[in-house]
């Protein structure tokens, strides 16, 4: 279980979804899901390839639930490899290699979760190895409880759009297409490319709900308003969303109701989710919903069909041109305009704006810089000079059972190394932190590409972003009143992004690049949020059905004693 390949897993990972496992209250309903994970033939871009299916579907089935619902998800691994949702007080089932053992082939594992105090638009996907390139993703929508008001009128309908870049090449194993056979060229699978010191080429296309250009369609009635839930499930690309001749009103970002600004186009970076309202107020016909890459070496466009009910018109023209492909200032201004709606209720009956994050004293400042280099001749990516390597035992289990020499606390420094960048240092890196501390995290990007960061188990107040180099004077520009709270943030080229976060969720949490090749090659680490109290009040006990592997396989009698108070 020590190799990167054997740790590959299909983890049902709810991006930004804080799931709380507890003894369910009687009034909260149960929703049961039985998932069979297999591989099967798909051809979203016209080339047959192997994809990861859930119950035979690509994308996988949608999880549609309500705040505080109890979710029981039984995952059967029918893949030939080991196969591994985000959790509040419960990093035991976070679905990443630092917390979970993979589900062995032919076996199953049951997740028991509660969508505790959550609303919004999210998605799940395979988080381990490079399985994300093969599918296995699906949408999550968490609806507000009926008694909690939503800051807009109920729409006539809701649609989900899972958008993302896609490769025609398989994520794993060698394969040969007929054309390349004629040309005597073999195609190396994506994961093997990275393992053999190669860089990934540009993606081949963009998928919308698992389909190529104009493969997905949505029907609307004239004069009615609809909600569109959008998630970027791709490997790396920033995407721009437009609805031909229609404006969009942003109403929600990853569980936060937003100020209802109107946009003609919206940037959705890798790993991010949002909701918009649009009104079908144009003459009846068909229109294109266009998705285009931004800040990319190769411009890609795709589209879905927006059809007014009763219209027999057809799409006869290609998607509109990409437009503002590299306008950093335009995108930066748009990002700053996304703010929390302080007059709206959240999943609980108290207003979201009642949490005055700007009045809390920061207890620690952490500056994180991305970098690239070579280790033993292989391309590696790093955070503050450290490139993460997988351990032979999940870090959470090693911590719980007190197994030494699996990871080193303090492996990630609080600031990037001074002076010229040296070759990255490789290790299973863990940053230690104290429960209930309040952090300022500054992401610094000295490269020419957009970087995207995600922290499991938390939402982050995005208080500032700008071009140039961050300094203490940059704090004067922070939004300390209504910054949007989300779990995935972008950092523009030669720029910085600052977030504030209250560490109120005990556990071992993955902080990673959402550029999946960079994460796979080391641009991630784990944040250990620790309290000496060892109380069930602060962290739930290890699940009775928890899988054990590596050096934790036979571990017993060495765990910490937990108090119920």
């Amino acid at each position: 279980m020590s190799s990167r390949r054997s740790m590959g897993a299909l983890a049902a990972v709810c991006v930004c979804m804080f799931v709380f496992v507890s003894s369910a209250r009687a009034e909260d309903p149960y929703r049961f899901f039985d998932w069979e994970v297999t591989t099967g033939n798909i051809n979203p871009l016209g080339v047959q390839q192997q994809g990861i299916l859930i119950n035979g579907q690509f994308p996988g089935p949608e999880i549609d639930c309500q705040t505080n619902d109890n979710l029981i998800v039984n995952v059967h691994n029918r893949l030939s490899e080991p196969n591994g949702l985000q959790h509040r007080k419960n990093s035991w089932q976070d679905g990443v290699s630092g917390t979970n053992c993979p589900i062995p082939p032919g076996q199953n594992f049951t997740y028991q979760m509660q969508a505790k105090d959550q609303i919004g638009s999210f998605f799940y996907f395979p988080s381990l190895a490079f399985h994300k390139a093969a599918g296995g993703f699906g949408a999550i929508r968490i609806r507000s409880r009926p008694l909690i008001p939503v800051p807009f009128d109920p729409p006539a309908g809701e649609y989900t759009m899972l958008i993302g870049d896609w490769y025609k090449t398989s994520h794993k194993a060698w394969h040969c297409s007929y054309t390349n056979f004629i040309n005597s060229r073999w195609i190396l699978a994506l994961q093997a490319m990275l393992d053999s010191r190669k860089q990934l080429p540009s993606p081949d296309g963009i998928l919308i709900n698992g389909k190529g250009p104009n493969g997905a369609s949505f029907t609307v009635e004239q004069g009615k308003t609809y909600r569109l839930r959008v998630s970027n499930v791709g490997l790396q690309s920033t995407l721009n969303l437009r609805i031909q001749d229609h404006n969009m009103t942003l109403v929600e970002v990853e569980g936060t109701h937003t100020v209802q600004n109107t946009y003609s186009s919206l940037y959705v970076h890798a790993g991010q989710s949002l909701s918009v309202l649009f009104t079908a107020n144009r003459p009846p016909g068909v229109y294109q919903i266009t998705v285009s890459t931004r800040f990319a070496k190769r411009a890609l466009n795709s589209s879905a069909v927006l059809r007014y009910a009763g219209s027999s018109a057809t799409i006869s023209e290609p998607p509109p041109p990409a437009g503002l492909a590299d306008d950093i200032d335009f995108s930066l201004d748009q990002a700053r305009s996304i703010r929390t709606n302080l007059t709206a209720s959240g999943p609980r009956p108290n207003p979201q704006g009642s949490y005055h994050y700007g009045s809390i004293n920061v207890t620690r400042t952490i500056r994180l810089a991305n970098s690239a280099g070579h280790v033993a001749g292989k391309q590696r990516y790093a955070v503050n000079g450290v490139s993460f390597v997988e351990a032979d035992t999940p870090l959470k289990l090693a911590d719980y059972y007190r197994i030494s020499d699996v990871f080193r606390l303090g492996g990630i420094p609080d600031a990037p190394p001074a002076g010229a960048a040296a070759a990255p240092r490789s290790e299973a890196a863990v940053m230690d932190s104290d429960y209930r501390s309040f952090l300022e995290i500054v992401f610094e990007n000295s490269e020419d590409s957009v970087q995207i960061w995600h922290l499991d188990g938390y939402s982050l107040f995005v208080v500032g972003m700008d071009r140039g180099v961050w300094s203490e004077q940059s704090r004067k520009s922070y939004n300390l009143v209504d910054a949007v709270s989300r779990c995935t943030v972008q950092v523009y080229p030669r720029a910085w992004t600052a977030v504030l976060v209250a560490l109120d969720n005990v556990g071992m949490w993955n902080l990673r690049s959402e550029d999946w090749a960079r994460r796979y090659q080391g641009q991630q680490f784990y944040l250990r949020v620790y309290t000496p109290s060892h109380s069930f009040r602060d962290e739930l006990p290890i699940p009775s059905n928890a899988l054990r592997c590596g050096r934790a396989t036979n571990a017993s009698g060495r765990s910490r004693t937990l108090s119920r108070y």
Side-chain angles (χ1 to χ4, degrees), residues 114-374:
Q114 188 182 27
K116 181 68 173 175
D117 292 333
Q118 288 289 289
I119 58 169
S121 308
F122 310 94
F123 66 98
Y124 62 86
F125 66 95
S127 71
L128 304 187
F130 214 65
H131 285 173
K132 188 179 182 183
F137 49 74
I140 301 170
R141 64 172 74 177
I142 309 178
R143 294 172 280 104
S144 181
R145 288 177 289 178
L147 296 179
I148 307 300
V150 175
F152 48 85
D153 292 333
E158 293 192 3
Y159 290 112
T160 294
M161 278 186 62
L162 299 179
I163 60 178
D165 51 25
W166 190 259
Y167 288 87
K168 296 177 182 178
T169 306
S170 170
H171 86 290
K172 192 175 178 62
W174 294 77
H175 80 281
C176 179
S177 69
Y178 177 76
T179 301
N180 284 288
F181 177 79
I182 296 298
N183 294 332
S184 300
R185 289 175 52 221
W186 285 88
I187 302 175
L188 186 61
L190 300 179
Q191 183 175 322
M193 287 182 187
L194 299 176
D195 291 339
S196 63
R197 309 180 186 183
K198 298 180 182 293
Q199 296 286 328
L200 291 185
S202 296
D204 294 306
I206 298 170
L207 301 188
I208 300 176
N209 288 350
K211 299 178 174 64
N214 294 325
S217 64
F218 308 94
T219 300
V220 296
E221 296 184 23
Q222 190 176 32
K224 294 185 177 181
T225 297
Y226 295 83
R227 181 173 184 171
L228 190 62
R229 297 177 183 260
V230 184
S231 294
N232 185 338
V233 300
L235 293 177
Q236 60 185 12
S237 301
T238 291
L239 299 176
N240 186 263
L241 172 72
R242 289 166 289 153
I243 305 178
Q244 183 182 2
D245 297 338
H246 294 71
N247 287 325
M248 299 173 288
T249 300
L250 185 67
V251 295
E252 177 253 332
V253 170
E254 293 159 19
T256 299
H257 290 306
T258 61
V259 172
Q260 294 178 14
N261 295 324
T262 299
Y263 303 90
S264 59
S265 71
L266 276 167
Y267 288 79
V268 190
H269 300 273
Q272 293 185 338
S273 298
L274 53 81
S275 288
V276 299
L277 298 177
F278 70 94
T279 301
N281 55 6
R282 308 300 297 169
V286 292
Y287 299 84
Q288 288 180 300
I289 304 177
T290 305
V291 179
S292 308
T293 55
R294 292 291 189 267
F295 316 115
K297 294 180 181 179
R298 179 185 178 190
L300 297 171
N301 296 286
S302 190
S303 57
V305 177
L306 180 67
R307 180 180 300 278
Y308 279 57
S311 173
S312 59
T314 59
I315 293 290
S316 59
E317 58 187 42
L324 303 170
D326 294 309
D327 194 331
I328 294 174
D329 288 331
F330 181 87
S331 183
L332 183 59
D333 287 343
Q334 183 179 101
R336 290 171 175 153
S337 73
I338 300 175
R339 296 172 290 125
T340 297
N341 185 345
L342 297 183
T343 65
S345 293
R348 296 180 299 275
N350 60 301
Q352 291 175 327
S354 64
Y355 185 71
H356 301 292
Y357 67 91
S359 302
I360 303 173
N361 292 327
V362 170
T363 55
R364 181 181 178 187
T365 295
I366 299 171
R367 294 168 45 223
L368 301 176
N370 48 275
S371 62
H374 288 82

Side-chain angles (χ1 to χ4, degrees), residues 383-424:
V383 185
N384 286 0
V386 181
S387 184
F388 183 82
V389 294
E390 302 288 357
D392 61 5
T393 303
L395 311 184
K396 180 64 178 175
L397 293 182
D399 192 26
Y400 180 74
Y401 289 111
R402 299 180 180 177
I403 302 171
S404 60
D405 301 326
V406 173
F407 63 88
R408 182 170 68 88
L409 284 178
I412 295 285
D414 279 12

